[in-house]
Amino acid sequence: MDWLQAIILGFIQGLTEFLPISSTGHLYLGRKLFGMQDGGIFLDTMLHIGTFIALIVFYRDILLKLIKNPFTKLTFLLFIGTLPAVFAGVFISDFFDGISKSGVTIGWEFLITGVFLWFADSIKKGSKKLDDLTAGDALFIGCFQALAIFPAISRSGMTIVGALMRKIDKETAAYFSFLLSIPAIFGAIVFQSADLFSGHAAAIGFIPLLLATLSAAFTGYIAVRWMIGYVKKHSLKGFAVYVWALGVLVIVIQSI
């Protein structure tokens, strides 16, 4: 992987992690485009570190408050919301790892993501704010997050849609969605951490890895800020059309 490929893959990760179009699906396509065979999981880990940094910087004020006073309602909600993803990661991840590596279902998963994003506009506008969220809301949204174990099902897209279904207002839906991704992404980093010592770093190169991670962090921070403001005033249908078009293209290419 050269430095330009590293920057491009970091850009893809940072942008698509927080836009509702699936970062895992796009990274799979990006690696295929560049002909990358080795270090896939390791590279994903480093890119996740980049987006994790972006979240830490964006949510630094609220995270500092949680560190100073961890026994709050918000901490409890994040814990409850993370449980479904933990269950999926521990008990059924092996099955989905095979699907992810083969990429055979990616096109169809893009199409499914599009259906949920299109459906979001038909949901009656809610008014719940962050202080109004309940454990039931967090668990419901967490179940939607767990669906992102499929490689091209968008985590951010599914959690935003899940939040809207619980009558949470759009801005809060996006805000809580990305906040909930902090323990999820941290868990993914820990889960994949064994690969950090597998020797793939030498195969990829330190400088490209650093550039990829920094690119993901920078782009991710911009994407989080932009997406929270965008969801507040705009429809998700544009993203639905995009992932539908991409899904059809992937299915057609795989069938040739």
Side-chain angles (χ1 to χ4, degrees):
M1 182 175 70
D2 61 36
W3 66 268
L4 182 58
Q5 291 173 339
I7 292 173
I8 292 173
L9 289 176
F11 178 87
I12 291 172
Q13 167 67 18
L15 190 67
T16 59
E17 179 69 42
F18 304 114
L19 269 60
I21 53 178
S22 173
S23 63
T24 305
H26 278 78
L27 282 177
Y28 173 85
L29 297 177
R31 289 198 302 269
K32 285 291 184 182
L33 180 65
F34 293 142
M36 295 182 62
Q37 300 297 327
D38 296 325
I41 295 177
F42 175 75
L43 177 60
D44 284 358
T45 304
M46 297 306 297
L47 293 174
H48 275 114
I49 290 174
T51 48
F52 185 72
I53 292 171
L55 288 168
I56 295 300
V57 173
F58 182 78
Y59 286 104
R60 59 189 180 278
D61 292 338
I62 194 169
L63 291 174
L64 284 173
K65 290 180 181 178
L66 292 179
I67 291 172
K68 292 177 180 178
N69 183 18
F71 302 104
T72 65
K73 178 185 175 182
L74 181 57
T75 304
F76 176 69
L77 293 176
L78 293 174
F79 173 77
I80 294 296
T82 304
L83 288 179
V86 171
F87 177 87
V90 171
F91 294 104
I92 57 178
S93 63
D94 289 344
F95 170 74
F96 290 100
D97 280 347
I99 294 176
S100 180
K101 290 177 181 177
S102 68
V104 294
T105 61
I106 279 182
W108 297 103
E109 290 157 15
F110 277 128
L111 297 182
I112 292 170
T113 295
V115 170
F116 277 95
L117 295 177
W118 191 274
F119 165 72
D121 267 14
S122 67
I123 301 172
K124 187 177 179 181
K125 184 177 179 180
S127 59
K128 285 185 181 179
K129 298 293 185 181
L130 195 61
D131 291 339
D132 302 319
L133 267 61
T134 65
D137 294 329
L139 184 61
F140 186 84
I141 298 168
C143 288
F144 271 69
Q145 177 170 254
L147 292 175
I149 195 170
F150 287 95
I153 297 292
S154 168
R155 192 212 62 80
S156 60
M158 296 302 290
T159 51
I160 290 173
V161 172
L164 294 177
M165 291 175 67
R166 297 293 293 186
K167 306 305 179 187
I168 298 169
D169 79 74
K170 285 187 172 184
E171 185 177 15
T172 303
Y175 187 88
F176 184 73
S177 166
F178 300 143
L179 187 59
L180 185 62
S181 71
I182 293 177
I185 293 176
F186 179 75
I189 293 170
V190 172
F191 190 71
Q192 297 169 351
S193 60
D195 204 56
L196 295 175
F197 308 99
S198 65
H200 286 308
I204 298 175
F206 175 76
I207 297 300
L209 279 173
L210 179 62
L211 289 173
T213 304
L214 292 176
S215 176
F218 177 75
T219 311
Y221 179 80
I222 293 174
V224 168
R225 289 183 62 92
W226 181 83
M227 190 63 194
I228 290 176
Y230 179 89
V231 170
K232 182 179 179 180
K233 300 178 180 179
H234 299 87
S235 166
L236 296 176
K237 286 185 176 179
F239 295 112
V241 172
Y242 169 78
V243 291
W244 279 338
L246 185 59
V248 169
L249 178 62
V250 170
I251 291 169
V252 169
I253 292 174
Q254 288 179 335
S255 66
I256 296 175

